[in-house]
Amino acid sequence: MAFTKKRIFNIAFYVLIVAIIFTPLGFKVKVFTNQIFSGNPNTLKQEEQIVLQNYNWKFVDAKENSFNFNDYQGKLVFINFWATWCPPCVAEMPSLQKLYTDYKNDVEFIFLASDKVKNVNTYLKENNFSFNVYYSNYKLPQELKHTVIPTTFVLNKSGKIIVKETGAKDWNSEKTRKLLDKLLKE
């Protein structure tokens, strides 16, 4: 079997594809691609905005401290479902950290990981992220059900779901900040 330029090129191309898909380098390429193509989140249309009916939901932090979602009723809440193994999730984390840094005193942020505590703690430390992460072993309220991650919800103080977004987004955008500022005044 003779190795022609075309055959060598084809082999190199397939090796590159395998490297992108199945190696840690591939994960970084996927994260980078998601960051490039992440857009601004959008608010739901008025007719799509539903009010959360059930706040009876519990979650825990890495130290097994229990939290009850009932304590968040009447507050502006930002909920993000994510995992360290999810490239779109990792892609949006820097923008989420920036948003959290500026709004942590006014907005209740709930970052819920579908991951192992050890992996999350390592990820947070390596990236200097300062937000708290929670884990849910309890049944979600029906209105917060989702099938993919990342999925993010923003609930106003009345419990109405104003934003429901899937996929990587630029959460530190001017559009998001204006929305949070507006919801804080309501």
Side-chain angles (χ1 to χ4, degrees), residues 76-78 152-156 160-163 171 180 183:
L76 179 56
V77 183
F78 188 103
T152 303
F153 296 89
V154 176
L155 285 68
N156 72 6
K160 186 184 285 187
I161 299 172
I162 305 299
V163 173
W171 291 104
L180 292 180
L183 293 173

Side-chain angles (χ1 to χ4, degrees), residues 4 23 36-37 45 51 60 69 81 87 89 107 131 144 158 160 166 175 179:
T4 63
T23 68
I36 290 173
F37 292 108
K45 295 176 185 169
V51 176
V60 297
F69 195 54
F81 295 90
C89 301
V107 177
F131 48 82
L144 299 178
S158 301
K160 186 184 285 187
T166 59
K175 183 177 181 179
L179 172 65

